[in-house]
Amino acid sequence: MKIDKQAPIGVFDSGVGGLTVAREIMRNLPNEKIVYFGDTARVPYGTKSKATVLRYSRQIVRFLRTQEVKAIVVACNTATALALDDIEKELDIPIVGVVRPGARVAVETTRNKRIGVIGTEATINSHIYRTYIQNMDPEVSVFGKPCPLFVSLVEEGWIKDPITEAVARRYLAELQEKDIDTLILGCTHYPLLRSMVGRIMGEGVTLVNPAYETAQALKRLLREQGLTSDGTEDEEFPYRFFVSDAAEKFSRFATSILPYNVERTQQIDIEKY
Ligand code: DGL
């Protein structure tokens, strides 16, 4: 199959969190167009089963294919953990998840071979980060900690709030005792709490942001496959946004974190796909 290198990248997440990944793609691959889908009607994925997250992810991929994307980024740690392997086998275009790029950089970063991972319950219980990390270096110990409340706190906009700080201190206390020198922010929302988490963990712990690493991995992948857009097309709307519910709320949140004014988000019925 011939893939059009000028086609957009499909990016999807369970909701707004994947915008942290879209933001890194915008910053690091400015010539690429994006079609973003946020499954705002069915968020959160982090508390759901593999069967459900896989069904949702397959529907979203079918929708993104209707937008003629040239590659797909699973901008959700939970969907990557529970659905990427299956979807990859069914696709004839490249697909990248957020877990492998984050795991790889964490392995390159750690000096004492002790890495912490924070994420949703589904991501941590899947042990996906541990599996990738120990495949790369079996000597590394991995300590996971689910931090489910972070998602709601970020969506509430309580990013610099004392309540969020108290929650973070409580979640992170366990990891502070593990002598880790590297911590993976293994959920899309957590890069927005980066400075708070960094302050609590202290200077001796390097934070890994899979969103940034995923954009770098996408850049390499497009280059290797000859799919890098040359950005010659003069697009009025290089970034298009679709959600399964509450489009206006999504547009406001997106505009607050992206280097782009999201004027319009289209609501679609994802169950049709
Ligand atoms: N996007 C999800 C993740 O990165 C967090 C929100 C959810 O639970 O759906 O795991």
Side-chain angles (χ1 to χ4, degrees), residues 13-15 17-18 42-47 75-79 98 119-120 123 151 155 186-189:
D13 177 48
S14 55
R42 305 188 293 194
V43 67
Y45 283 11
T47 50
C76 174
N77 286 263
T78 306
V98 280
T120 64
T123 300
V151 169
E155 293 201 6
C187 170
T188 48
H189 291 60

Side-chain angles (χ1 to χ4, degrees), residues 211-225:
Y212 172 78
E213 306 307 338
T214 301
Q216 298 303 322
L218 175 67
K219 194 187 229 173
R220 283 192 298 273
L221 178 94
L222 294 179
R223 203 182 295 138
E224 277 159 24
Q225 305 217 5

Side-chain angles (χ1 to χ4, degrees), residues 10-210:
V11 179
F12 81 87
D13 177 48
S14 55
V16 293
L19 291 167
T20 58
V21 180
R23 175 172 72 174
E24 297 300 339
I25 298 172
M26 291 174 186
R27 283 180 182 153
N28 293 282
L29 292 89
N31 286 341
E32 299 296 340
K33 289 177 280 184
I34 294 174
V35 175
Y36 183 97
F37 178 79
D39 201 357
T40 47
R42 305 188 293 194
V43 67
Y45 283 11
T47 50
K48 294 193 170 72
S49 67
K50 177 179 162 77
T52 300
V53 173
L54 181 55
R55 182 170 75 83
Y56 290 174
S57 302
R58 281 192 173 124
Q59 287 178 318
I60 298 168
V61 166
R62 282 196 283 272
F63 163 69
L64 289 173
R65 296 303 303 260
T66 67
Q67 302 299 304
E68 296 179 342
V69 298
K70 66 179 172 186
I72 292 179
V73 176
V74 186
C76 174
N77 286 263
T78 306
T80 303
L82 304 186
L84 177 64
D85 280 353
D86 292 273
I87 290 177
E88 196 165 21
K89 292 188 198 119
E90 300 160 3
L91 268 187
D92 55 0
I93 57 171
I95 183 161
V96 189
V98 280
V99 173
R100 191 190 293 274
R104 193 178 52 75
V105 171
V107 170
E108 284 164 12
T109 305
T110 184
R111 293 284 158 258
N112 71 359
K113 295 190 187 280
R114 297 175 75 81
I115 297 175
V117 186
I118 52 177
T120 64
E121 255 148 4
T123 300
I124 299 302
N125 293 340
S126 75
H127 301 294
I128 187 163
Y129 275 101
R130 176 175 303 159
T131 305
Y132 277 128
I133 288 170
Q134 292 183 339
N135 279 343
M136 289 179 235
D137 184 347
E139 286 178 11
V140 175
S141 301
V142 182
F143 305 93
K145 174 74 188 167
C147 304
L149 291 175
F150 280 173
V151 169
S152 324
L153 291 165
V154 166
E155 293 201 6
E156 202 56 39
W158 293 10
I159 287 174
K160 294 194 175 129
D161 194 280
I163 303 230
T164 308
E165 169 127 16
V167 171
R169 286 195 184 278
R170 184 147 167 188
Y171 278 146
L172 298 172
E174 201 178 300
L175 290 176
Q176 282 173 307
E177 287 165 14
K178 302 284 189 219
D179 188 32
I180 56 169
D181 70 352
T182 306
L183 177 62
I184 301 174
L185 305 175
C187 170
T188 48
H189 291 60
Y190 301 0
L192 298 170
L193 298 175
R194 190 190 177 114
S195 51
M196 182 182 288
V197 171
R199 203 170 55 245
I200 294 170
M201 294 307 293
E203 275 181 6
V205 177
T206 304
L207 302 185
V208 172
N209 176 3

